[in-house]
Amino acid sequence: MKLKVYISLLISFITIAINAQDAALTATVSKNKLGVNQRLRIDFSINKQGGDNFTPPKFTNFKVVAGPSQSIQQSYINGKASFNQSYSYILQPMRKGEFTIPSASIEISGKTLSSNPIKVLVLDAVDIPKNPNDPNYIAEQKIHLVAEVSKSKPYVGEGIYVEYRLYFSEDIGIYDSGITEAPQYSGFWNQEIKRNGTPVKYGNYNGERYRYAVLHKALLIPTTSGKLTIDPMKMDIIVAVPTGRVDFFGNRIERQVRKEFASAKKIINAKALPLENKPDDFTGAVGQFSFDVSLSKNTLKANESSQIKVAVNGEGNLKLFELPKIETPKELEVYQPERKENVTILSNGLKGSVTDSYTVVPEFKGKYKIPKASFSYFNPKEEAYQTITTDDLYVEVLEGKEIPTNSDANTVAKQDVKVTGSDFRYIQTSTEFQPKQTNDFFKSALFYVLLILPILAIPAGIFIQKKKEERDGDVVGNKLRKADKLAKKYLSEAQKQLGNKEAFYEALERALHNYLKAKLGVETSDISREKITELLQEKNVDSNSISNFIEVLNDCDFARYTPITNVQMKEEYEKAKQVITQLDRQL
């Protein structure tokens, strides 16, 4: 009787604990990158009892091979209850491309829950390996090169950004990578957005936990309307894939493979700016701006200068439109404007100011009016044109010539030229040239120096020749210097990364393997430490040098999991240089 009571109480506690959870419907896939000839599994899971009327999404571009199949899991472990009910489908892609599987829905407690959408990249048909542990196959499934755009339907002139992220699983490593084909931005004004290094972060990609790094980010401004294509970025990556084996010290043994990855092609549908209510003075400015026209001096004398500044501030396509022109009275002499730009590149466009500075120099006194100016731009947030108009400006010249009348202009009196400074002078009718003094080269100081120099060069040449013969005769010393120079060459990249633990030890390990590859003619990164020892013994390398080389390789593995100081990295660098020098003297 008591046993039945305990069981009933336990079931009640489990039911109460499960019902206390916040209900959520989540979607996960077995793989989010596959060939057109492969299949994937998608699961829609709810973590609370009572779900009803499950509605799957429309699997556009996919064929449902099997499903839905239902499963229920319920457990109570260490005082925590869990419940999971899932609906599973097996899908076969119908064509290549990047597709989004929409949200599914389910009703629970009078509410409708929706799952997260899932992105799937379908590539060319692949050769499905018989061995699922094939490193090439694993690398393809666990690395994703993704292009993300901030907006797919911008207006012409509106700034968006594209960001290229490399997602890679936590159980694989990347030792080297390089962009083999940069993306093309045809139909866009583009500018790279600078980043502070390439830090590795953690994030979710289609419901799975990955590490990722932002490789490239660019600001794009469409210059024409219609369908614009961002071509894929392609990369060559050396991937370290676990083999399932461990070495003597318990560290897992990895195998490196080189694979090419490509992002999906992106389509941007750029919208043309509306023709309705388009101002006559519109020159292509798109964004959010302020506009101002100012004078540095309102009151001045003749021949003094003043600056008229025409400035546009804000965010948008600041470098892709013309500033309004300023009209001035003909009595004011105005020079060509000087353009100044103070612009910062942001993800959503350009931010800052663009200024045209006009220099004005009056000649006649009086009061002059500089008419108001207007500036029109399109605001993509409000989807409307906006116009800013300034006030009239006035310049008053207090001193100067009187403006000539028509009668004065018809009568011109001849006057003598007045000498004012060095601007105008009479033509000279006589000269004051003096003969140039020249010195004879014969018996000069330079003559005697050049005469004695060849005599002094003879003993210097003899001394240098003897030193060269002594150096060439030092066979051991020459070999040691050559080996030291070779060690520095292979370790140059590791030296640059001193202070950056992970990058330093990766470069150090790569340098040791590259050295052996050059000397032994084999790829040593794919073989064990024992095989390396055997190869070096065949080359008659002494055991002490072999032991030191293997010790440095092991230090590279240990350092990734232990705290290391800059002093220790410097000691490790010197140790590696000494090891390469020892090996090169024997190889």
Side-chain angles (χ1 to χ4, degrees):
M1 183 65 180
K2 289 184 178 180
L3 181 60
K4 292 182 179 179
V5 173
Y6 291 149
I7 292 174
S8 300
L9 289 174
L10 179 61
I11 294 174
S12 299
F13 288 148
I14 292 175
T15 304
I16 293 171
I18 291 174
N19 289 331
Q21 302 179 65
D22 292 332
L25 180 64
T26 58
T28 58
V29 291
S30 58
K31 60 181 74 174
N32 40 40
K33 184 170 68 174
L34 69 161
V36 72
N37 60 332
Q38 294 180 294
R39 297 178 178 180
L40 65 88
R41 174 191 176 103
I42 184 168
D43 298 308
F44 300 95
S45 303
I46 185 170
N47 61 344
K48 191 175 181 180
Q49 290 178 332
D52 197 9
N53 295 330
F54 172 75
T55 304
K58 292 183 179 180
F59 296 110
T60 309
N61 301 309
F62 292 90
K63 177 183 178 182
V64 178
V65 179
S69 59
Q70 297 186 39
S71 64
I72 297 177
Q73 294 180 348
Q74 187 171 333
S75 63
Y76 189 81
I77 301 174
N78 296 329
K80 293 184 179 180
S82 63
F83 174 84
N84 182 277
Q85 181 177 359
S86 62
Y87 302 84
S88 303
Y89 296 83
I90 304 297
L91 305 179
Q92 170 78 48
M94 300 172 64
R95 60 188 181 92
K96 296 187 298 180
E98 186 176 32
F99 308 115
T100 299
I101 300 176
S103 303
S105 64
I106 195 170
E107 295 179 2
I108 185 169
S109 301
K111 296 181 180 180
T112 301
L113 303 179
S114 298
S115 65
N116 51 295
I118 295 287
K119 288 185 179 180
V120 176
L121 180 61
V122 181
L123 305 173
D124 292 324
V126 298
D127 295 330
I128 302 177
K130 296 180 180 179
N131 179 15
N133 295 320
D134 179 27
N136 290 282
Y137 179 74
I138 295 174
E140 289 178 357
Q141 300 301 312
K142 297 196 174 186
I143 292 182
H144 310 276
L145 181 58
V146 179
E148 297 284 352
V149 294
S150 59
K151 193 172 185 180
S152 60
K153 294 181 179 180
Y155 282 100
V156 171
E158 182 181 3
I160 63 173
Y161 72 84
V162 60
E163 184 175 270
Y164 292 89
R165 290 186 176 189
L166 183 68
Y167 287 92
F168 51 99
S169 180
E170 295 184 77
D171 58 346
I172 64 172
I174 294 178
Y175 281 84
D176 195 10
S177 63
I179 297 175
T180 57
E181 188 174 324
Q184 300 297 315
Y185 306 118
S186 179
F188 295 93
W189 181 93
N190 67 89
Q191 184 70 46
E192 181 180 358
I193 300 174
K194 293 183 179 180
R195 297 164 292 106
N196 295 325
T198 311
V200 176
K201 302 178 182 179
Y202 285 91
N204 290 327
Y205 177 67
N206 281 350
E208 297 183 35
R209 180 177 172 84
Y210 281 89
R211 291 178 293 172
Y212 74 91
V214 178
L215 305 177
H216 179 75
K217 192 172 184 178
L219 169 67
L220 306 180
I221 299 179
T223 57
T224 183
S225 61
K227 186 178 291 186
L228 305 177
T229 302
I230 301 177
D231 292 332
M233 172 191 280
K234 295 182 180 180
M235 295 188 67
D236 220 14
I237 303 176
I238 297 179
V239 187
V241 180
T243 60
R245 297 180 292 128
V246 296
D247 59 14
F248 176 77
F249 299 97
N251 300 316
R252 67 180 187 181
I253 298 176
E254 298 175 335
R255 181 179 177 185
Q256 294 185 6
V257 294
R258 183 184 292 273
K259 294 290 296 180
E260 184 180 67
F261 295 87
S263 63
K265 181 189 296 184
K266 288 291 182 180
I267 302 297
I268 303 297
N269 293 298
K271 298 183 291 185
L273 297 177
L275 297 176
E276 185 179 359
N277 298 325
K278 182 178 180 181
D280 294 335
D281 62 348
F282 178 72
T283 59
V286 178
Q288 296 85 44
F289 302 105
S290 63
F291 175 62
D292 182 60
V293 179
S294 62
L295 266 171
S296 62
K297 291 181 181 180
N298 297 90
T299 305
L300 61 160
K301 299 177 182 179
N303 297 323
E304 283 187 342
S305 65
S306 179
Q307 300 287 326
I308 303 176
K309 291 188 177 180
V310 181
V312 172
N313 294 269
E315 297 181 10
N317 58 343
L318 282 165
K319 294 187 176 184
L320 302 181
F321 58 84
E322 291 295 327
L323 296 183
K325 302 296 182 183
I326 298 300
E327 296 181 3
T328 58
K330 61 181 180 180
E331 291 82 7
L332 298 179
E333 186 176 1
V334 180
Y335 295 90
Q336 288 294 324
E338 178 186 358
R339 172 64 60 93
K340 291 184 180 179
E341 296 180 352
N342 183 17
V343 178
T344 303
I345 300 172
L346 303 176
S347 298
N348 59 343
L350 303 172
K351 181 179 181 180
S353 63
V354 179
T355 305
D356 278 350
S357 296
Y358 296 80
T359 300
V360 179
V361 181
E363 185 179 358
F364 304 99
K365 66 179 181 179
K367 190 171 184 180
Y368 305 99
K369 173 184 174 181
I370 299 175
K372 59 187 177 183
S374 62
F375 171 69
S376 298
Y377 64 94
F378 180 77
N379 190 329
K381 290 185 177 180
E382 298 183 6
E383 298 186 341
Y385 291 98
Q386 297 178 349
T387 300
I388 303 174
T389 303
T390 63
D391 297 327
D392 295 332
L393 298 176
Y394 294 91
V395 177
E396 186 173 5
V397 183
L398 301 178
E399 298 180 10
K401 300 177 182 179
E402 294 289 343
I403 299 177
T405 61
N406 292 336
S407 58
D408 295 336
N410 295 329
T411 304
V412 180
K414 182 177 180 182
Q415 298 180 1
D416 293 334
V417 177
K418 296 180 180 180
V419 178
T420 56
S422 59
D423 293 337
F424 299 97
R425 292 186 179 275
Y426 290 105
I427 298 174
Q428 297 289 338
T429 58
S430 62
T431 67
E432 297 179 358
F433 291 131
Q434 298 293 330
K436 185 178 179 181
Q437 297 292 330
T438 58
N439 296 321
D440 197 353
F441 174 71
F442 183 66
K443 292 186 179 180
S444 65
L446 181 60
F447 171 78
Y448 287 109
V449 169
L450 295 177
L451 185 65
I452 298 173
L453 191 61
I455 300 175
L456 297 178
I458 295 174
I462 295 174
F463 178 78
I464 294 172
Q465 181 63 26
K466 286 185 178 181
K467 286 294 182 181
K468 184 177 181 303
E469 291 175 354
E470 292 177 3
R471 188 181 181 90
D472 293 342
D474 185 8
V475 178
V476 176
N478 286 337
K479 194 167 185 179
L480 184 61
R481 283 188 289 271
K482 182 180 178 182
D484 187 62
K485 183 178 180 181
L486 184 66
K488 290 180 179 179
K489 172 186 174 183
Y490 277 96
L491 295 171
S492 60
E493 180 62 27
Q495 188 179 24
K496 294 177 183 177
Q497 299 296 339
L498 280 170
N500 186 355
K501 186 184 80 170
E502 186 174 350
F504 168 74
Y505 281 102
E506 287 179 1
L508 186 64
E509 184 178 9
R510 188 164 55 248
L512 295 175
H513 284 297
N514 287 341
Y515 170 76
L516 283 187
K517 179 180 178 180
K519 288 295 182 180
L520 304 179
V522 295
E523 183 63 67
T524 60
S525 58
D526 293 338
I527 60 178
S528 64
R529 307 283 197 270
E530 291 78 9
K531 185 62 177 178
I532 294 175
T533 301
E534 183 180 340
L535 291 173
L536 292 175
Q537 287 174 346
E538 292 176 359
K539 295 292 185 178
N540 297 323
V541 177
D542 63 70
S543 58
N544 185 47
S545 298
I546 297 175
S547 176
N548 290 338
F549 185 85
I550 299 300
E551 184 179 350
V552 174
L553 283 179
N554 292 334
D555 289 345
C556 292
D557 291 334
F558 288 144
R560 297 174 184 173
Y561 308 98
T562 57
I564 298 295
T565 64
N566 292 344
V567 175
Q568 290 174 302
M569 280 189 274
K570 180 66 176 175
E571 292 175 352
E572 202 70 58
Y573 170 79
E574 295 296 335
K575 186 176 180 181
K577 186 169 70 173
Q578 183 180 1
V579 165
I580 293 179
T581 302
Q582 291 174 353
L583 288 179
D584 199 67
R585 292 174 61 185
Q586 301 176 60
L587 293 175

